[in-house]
Amino acid sequence: MEPLFAVTIGILVSVAVYLMLSNHLLRFIFGLVLISNAANLTMFVAGRLTVGAPPLIKEGMDAPLPQVANALPQALVLTAIVIGFGLFAFAIVLVVRACTTLGTLRPDDMRVAEPKGPQQ
Amino acid sequence: MSWLLALPVLIPFLTAVATFLARHSALGRWLSVSGSAALLVAASVLMNAVLREGVIAGQMGGWAAPFGITLVADLLSAIMTLVTAIIALAVSVYALADIRQGMEQLGYHALFNLLIAGVVGAFVAGDLFNLYVWFEVMLIASFGLLVLGGRPSQIDGGIKYVALNVVSTILFLTGIGLLYGMTGTLNMADLAGATERMDQQLLTVMALLFMIAFGIKAAVFPLFFWLPASYHTPAFAVSAVFAGLLTKVGVYALIRLFTLIFDHDVAFTHTILLWVAALTMVVGVFGAAAQSDIRRILSFHIISQIGYMVLGLALLSPLAMVGTVFYLVHHILVKANLFLIAGVADRTSGGTELARIGGLYKSAPLLALLFVIPAFSLAGFPPLSGFWAKFLLVKAALNLEAWLIAGIALGVGLLTIYSMTKIWSQAFWQPHPAGTAPKLEALAPGHRAALLIPIAVLATLTLLLGVMPEPFVQIASRTAAQLLDPTDYINRVLGVQP
């Protein structure tokens, strides 16, 4: 199971890096979404994978069965997903705003804050 | 005890909620000021308690460490919380005059207090995941503050700021995941022990992952490009609080992790930090020399000063850590103040672009005096606070016979004087290019007080640090001792009886 996840994470990261380096903000955001999912998966796998063993205690028992999923990474990943959702919602709105006020989505053309050459 | 630790986080959080509800009335700004004042009281009480009793740890929700949510304050956390509270109060008073009503209605005060909550939360967080969460609180609030107002330059700077900081966040998160996978814990005190049982080479890889993540936040070479792209664009009150606090949270995280957890292979990790520090100092100061706008000059100087703080951490001797702690406090007070002064120069003189302003010395001598104190403190003139900060670090480098690094630190100090005198001569000394005389009296009396009182108070604190550094150096050496020997920190968090 883990090797499959490792390969998936690797593919996600490589696609994300490719997108993030392509001098276009929308692609950059997509890359960011992918790489953040790769990070979440990394954390999930790092907490060890178990198949078909929910992190629950059976009714009438006061301890989980020996084979049980680790609930902590699930909680961490859930938190990270929520935070990531907020960040990306903001980032996408910012990109839309950049498109309307700056008239470009190419980072290389965005020189309003740092104009080339001496300022007038 | 837990309340003592939770209050400095809760107060700004509740203030944020209250100011959001009151954002359409004038009440909001006063709520913000009183919230910051309450934070200052809470932070002072915490500082006092930590000075008396040593490290204070509290477990939220009653779960024992390392399973529960730990809040912990050692001297470094307490000092940083106190300085944050001072800056928060100064900036919220300044904001009474600086922030337009339109920005208030968009929720400026709520975002500002949320930012402070995030900063303080990061200082008292006892485990890595909470540190991550507080970083995010801080980050999302700073995103909002940075683009509030929506001028094209703000959007432009905002894009670069958001992009690089989110990348840093993702690296941080990956590091947390992998470290958890290797050790099974995220409590920092617990990690300090757990890492000893791990594959040390793999641990070094982890250390570098965290170094890059926090290096982006702290704006060290070569990861600083988001900072000079964005810090000169937002409102002056916003850029002052950013300049004072945000990168320092990154430095704090570096100090915490590289004294507590990643101290297994100092020869490798801290040598990298040493060269990073040297390059950060040099590149920052040369970047500043090439700029011609007050805020852009100051932004590059933040980078060069970050180099000094990382330098102390890299040398890792007791004296060097004293220097780093002293530098942190000195830098936060001075840097925030200089951005506040740039705001007044902008109001009275009509800009921050050096070619377009001037004559402030003749027509506003009070402002000139208030500028001289932090500016020459930044450059390291005796007897101001920057002199002692630099003196401690250079002395530490000389003691370790790191001649080259000591030379670089001294040279960068000289070049800092060049930038500060450039601002002085063009904005203050030379006559205004339009022939006008910018006067402080042109400001409305209420605004004048709100703008100048925080500047005067911060300048007084800078003077105080400089004229009688002895008690502060004492506290800094106790802090350094705690950082270099974290046994007490670990025992208090894990509840081990000594």
Side-chain angles (χ1 to χ4, degrees):
Chain A
M1 198 65 148
E2 276 86 356
L4 183 65
F5 270 82
V7 171
T8 314
I9 293 166
I11 293 172
L12 275 177
V13 170
S14 52
V15 172
V17 170
Y18 174 76
L19 284 172
M20 287 163 81
L21 293 177
S22 61
N23 196 23
H24 192 280
L25 270 184
L26 209 54
R27 283 172 167 238
F28 182 87
I29 296 290
F30 292 149
L32 222 48
V33 173
L34 286 183
I35 204 171
S36 95
N37 282 329
N40 289 342
L41 277 179
T42 308
M43 187 152 32
F44 188 60
V45 180
R48 308 295 183 270
L49 296 173
T50 42
V51 184
L56 300 170
I57 299 172
K58 283 237 166 94
E59 207 178 345
M61 295 168 73
D62 45 2
L65 296 169
Q67 175 75 5
V68 67
N70 188 349
L72 188 72
Q74 299 185 1
L76 299 185
V77 170
L78 206 58
T79 313
I81 289 174
V82 173
I83 291 175
F85 185 75
L87 288 183
F88 291 127
F90 180 87
I92 289 168
V93 172
L94 188 63
V95 168
V96 172
R97 190 65 196 266
C99 188
T100 53
T101 44
L102 307 175
T104 175
L105 279 177
R106 296 194 175 278
D108 286 357
D109 298 339
M110 294 186 174
R111 302 299 300 238
V112 183
E114 295 174 288
K116 282 180 191 163
Q119 290 180 7
Q120 305 308 314
Chain B
M1 271 306 135
S2 295
W3 279 106
L4 215 54
L5 290 162
L7 270 181
V9 186
L10 275 179
I11 290 170
F13 223 96
L14 295 176
T15 314
V17 176
T19 47
F20 181 75
L21 295 174
R23 67 189 183 280
H24 290 296
S25 77
L27 188 65
R29 59 189 86 142
W30 293 106
L31 276 174
S32 177
V33 173
S34 41
S36 302
L39 174 64
L40 185 58
V41 174
S44 313
V45 173
L46 178 66
M47 180 77 208
N48 187 34
V50 173
L51 271 177
R52 254 196 350 255
E53 300 169 26
V55 182
I56 296 178
Q59 316 297 338
M60 298 296 115
W63 292 82
F67 305 109
I69 291 173
T70 305
L71 294 185
V72 51
D74 64 348
L75 269 170
L76 181 63
S77 305
I79 291 172
M80 297 302 284
T81 307
L82 185 60
V83 180
T84 304
I86 293 171
I87 296 298
L89 186 56
V91 172
S92 58
V93 171
Y94 188 91
L96 293 174
D98 189 51
I99 300 299
R100 284 172 291 110
Q101 211 179 357
M103 280 174 73
E104 285 187 329
Q105 285 174 354
L106 288 169
Y108 164 80
H109 293 297
L111 286 171
F112 173 76
N113 283 289
L114 199 62
L115 179 79
I116 299 296
V119 171
V120 175
F123 291 147
V124 296
D127 72 75
L128 276 178
F129 198 78
N130 274 310
L131 188 65
Y132 161 79
V133 172
W134 290 118
F135 260 108
E136 293 310 291
V137 170
M138 182 178 98
L139 211 57
I140 198 89
S142 69
F143 290 171
L145 286 172
L146 186 60
V147 299
L148 208 59
R151 281 182 292 113
S153 64
Q154 282 180 295
I155 302 292
D156 184 350
I159 289 276
K160 291 154 193 171
Y161 179 87
V162 170
L164 288 173
N165 275 289
V166 173
V167 170
S168 146
T169 295
I170 290 167
L171 288 174
F172 184 13
L173 195 61
T174 312
I176 288 177
L178 293 175
L179 202 59
Y180 175 73
M182 287 164 72
T183 60
T185 180
L186 285 174
N187 185 302
M188 290 197 272
D190 202 23
L191 272 173
T195 45
E196 281 164 21
R197 299 185 290 273
M198 280 170 43
D199 180 350
Q200 298 297 301
Q201 275 167 341
L202 215 50
L203 191 62
T204 307
V205 178
M206 294 285 93
L208 290 183
L209 199 53
F210 280 100
M211 195 190 284
I212 294 169
F214 292 132
I216 297 179
K217 304 267 186 207
V220 298
F221 178 87
L223 309 163
F224 62 77
F225 294 96
W226 55 271
L227 194 150
S230 59
Y231 269 28
H232 60 289
T233 59
F236 285 90
V238 173
S239 64
V241 75
F242 279 19
L245 297 175
L246 291 196
T247 45
K248 263 54 73 183
V249 185
V251 176
Y252 165 84
L254 278 176
I255 294 176
R256 180 65 77 213
L257 261 61
F258 283 85
T259 55
L260 186 62
I261 302 172
F262 301 121
D263 55 351
H264 59 287
D265 189 5
V266 175
F268 182 72
T269 51
H270 287 64
T271 306
I272 295 182
L273 281 175
L274 190 66
W275 290 111
V276 162
L279 286 166
T280 309
M281 285 193 279
V282 172
V283 172
V285 87
F286 278 117
Q291 300 301 324
S292 61
D293 177 289
I294 298 181
R295 279 207 281 184
R296 297 190 69 186
I297 293 174
L298 293 175
S299 299
F300 270 102
H301 273 296
I302 299 176
I303 298 165
S304 113
Q305 310 277 312
I306 294 289
Y308 281 98
M309 295 169 219
V310 177
L311 166 65
L313 172 64
L315 293 173
L316 207 66
S317 73
L319 189 62
M321 291 308 292
V322 175
T324 295
V325 174
F326 197 90
Y327 214 112
L328 268 168
V329 175
H330 141 76
H331 173 87
I332 292 174
L333 295 175
V334 162
K335 206 62 190 203
N337 203 7
L338 283 170
F339 273 85
L340 294 180
I341 293 167
V344 180
D346 176 65
R347 277 281 192 100
T348 50
S349 197
T352 53
E353 182 60 38
L354 285 175
R356 274 193 245 163
I357 61 174
L360 282 166
Y361 173 68
K362 209 166 170 191
S363 51
L366 176 65
L367 187 67
L369 176 72
L370 291 174
F371 172 77
V372 164
I373 295 170
F376 287 88
S377 176
L378 190 77
F381 270 49
L384 295 161
S385 58
F387 168 73
W388 299 109
K390 286 200 172 71
F391 173 77
L392 288 165
L393 285 171
V394 172
K395 182 91 178 12
L398 291 177
N399 284 355
L400 294 170
E401 302 187 346
W403 312 116
L404 182 60
I405 289 291
I408 290 174
L410 285 171
V412 169
L414 280 176
L415 286 165
T416 311
I417 301 175
Y418 165 73
S419 287
M420 290 303 125
T421 45
K422 187 163 82 179
I423 298 179
W424 172 256
S425 76
Q426 297 203 19
F428 289 87
W429 204 254
Q430 287 172 5
H432 198 287
T436 53
K439 282 197 187 318
L440 289 175
E441 284 74 25
L443 301 166
H447 278 200
R448 198 158 68 219
L451 293 174
L452 290 181
I453 288 173
I455 294 176
V457 170
L458 291 180
T460 314
L461 286 173
T462 311
L463 267 181
L464 199 68
L465 269 178
V467 177
M468 35 177 266
E470 188 56 30
F472 301 102
V473 173
Q474 284 280 328
I475 297 176
S477 16
R478 283 180 59 189
T479 312
Q482 273 185 0
L483 287 170
L484 291 175
D485 178 20
T487 330
D488 196 32
Y489 179 96
I490 295 167
N491 287 346
R492 292 287 179 110
V493 171
L494 298 180
V496 182
Q497 296 303 324

